[in-house]
Amino acid sequence: MTKITPQPGILEIDLYQGGASHIEGVSNVVKLSSNENPFGPSEAAKDAFRKAGFDLHRYPSTDHRALREAIGEVHGLDPARVICGAGSDEIIAFLCQAYAGPGNEVIHTEHGFAMYRIGALANGATPVEVRERERVTDVDAILAACTDATRLVFIANPNNPTGTMIGEGELTRLADGLPDHVLLVIDGAYAEYVDGYDGGARLVESRDNVVMTRTFSKLYGLGGLRVGWGYGPQHVIDVLNRIRGPFNLSQPALVTAEAAVRDTAWAEKCRNDNTRLRAWLAEALAGHGVPSDTSMANFILARFSSQQEAEACDEYLKSEGLIVRRVHGYKLPNCLRITVGDEPSCRRVAHAVGQFMGDE
């Protein structure tokens, strides 16, 4: 028997299951399982990607300066306090690697993004799950869970897969209530879908214990390129850059993300279309007896009467060429997460759910 073993915690990690993209024997499939932007990237971003093909023999920038400066200009942030990664997942991994290890605890909420638990276990830390209140982050529960061993608190705001979020007042109360040795990480993967929300940037500016993460995979339509970023206190960013690989982002990814973030008109169009179609889809599903919490992201968490009904609906949707996401792994067995697609997709999935529920 081999004596070669991985570090403690790693074998406790379940392999991440991404959203399905095809159905055996079914054509004309609509994928609504991975919260992708149905409109894709902007023309400016696609043009930048095409041009990058002429320089594939060149190494990319090691400091990501042009992209960091573009992010800073568009969002009104200090570029020196921005770090870029292969999706916001990599920033989350950096944070766990830098600040959590054996004997430490990492707090996440019961329906929070799976990568928080994975990041903790990968570094030998103990993930601590904290209850939510009716699928909404509970600040008091998080504060009560903090101990001398706590090092990181992760919350997604808006949250995935619930779509719910807490306001700036609650975020501030959380940041102010944490012990001095705890870093708060606000995952803003869906922040761009909330009009007027800065994703926690003001908290980062005014405190030294808050980090914000963001991504180009959702609103900007660049999930296939894997580009994310973080914004934090200088002392945190300096630490993370010490463990970041010098070439962690490719040149095509860097220039395409820069073009995407500068195309604010396309971002606004996608946000407005999502807001309109999200409201329509939620109302249509509710009309068929399938309620959902008010979502602030680009998906609906549809709630059914039981796990059996949710899974039966999922199977029916598959038979109709519609792929949505079961979220049993997020302790929501009676729910299906449905991405807000374009208008034809929204109408198609609403009609199919209605047929399943016996309304059409």
Side-chain angles (χ1 to χ4, degrees), residues 227-348:
V227 187
W229 56 281
Y231 187 61
Q234 196 66 61
H235 70 91
V236 172
I237 300 304
D238 287 346
V239 167
L240 301 187
N241 273 319
R242 292 173 185 270
I243 57 177
R244 177 182 65 81
F247 302 112
N248 63 323
L249 285 178
S250 69
Q251 185 64 11
L254 287 167
V255 297
T256 305
E258 180 184 350
V261 75
R262 291 189 184 281
D263 195 340
T264 55
W266 179 254
E268 183 176 5
K269 177 196 178 299
C270 292
R271 178 169 50 250
N272 291 341
D273 285 347
N274 178 77
T275 299
R276 174 177 58 85
L277 292 168
R278 181 181 63 200
W280 183 91
L281 181 58
E283 184 177 351
L285 294 177
H288 296 310
V290 182
S292 60
D293 298 313
T294 299
S295 174
M296 302 304 292
N298 68 335
F299 56 84
I300 300 291
L301 185 69
R303 300 203 309 275
F304 294 83
S305 61
S306 66
Q307 178 177 348
Q308 182 181 16
E309 185 178 59
E311 292 179 354
C313 184
D314 182 42
E315 291 300 324
Y316 180 76
L317 292 176
K318 286 179 183 176
S319 73
E320 295 293 310
L322 295 161
I323 304 176
V324 299
R325 185 74 179 267
R326 294 187 189 185
V327 283
H328 184 277
Y330 284 96
K331 303 191 175 181
L332 294 162
N334 65 321
C335 298
L336 296 176
R337 193 189 67 189
I338 305 173
T339 301
V340 177
D342 58 14
E343 186 162 344
S345 300
C346 287
R347 292 189 178 276
R348 185 172 161 184

Side-chain angles (χ1 to χ4, degrees), residues 10 62 78 91 132 141-142 169 173 255 266 303 315 347:
I10 292 178
T62 60
D78 178 2
I91 308 300
E132 296 178 12
I142 292 174
R173 188 165 73 87
V255 297
W266 179 254
R303 300 203 309 275
E315 291 300 324
R347 292 189 178 276

Side-chain angles (χ1 to χ4, degrees), residues 55 95 101 113 126 130-131 134 143 197 201 213 220 237 255 269 273 301 308 313 340 356:
D55 293 313
L95 287 161
F113 186 40
T126 301
V130 174
R131 65 174 176 81
E134 293 296 312
L143 294 176
Y197 174 51
T213 65
Y220 295 106
I237 300 304
V255 297
K269 177 196 178 299
D273 285 347
L301 185 69
Q308 182 181 16
C313 184
V340 177
F356 171 79

Side-chain angles (χ1 to χ4, degrees), residues 1-11:
M1 177 179 287
T2 180
K3 294 184 178 180
I4 302 171
T5 58
Q7 292 286 0
I10 292 178
L11 291 181

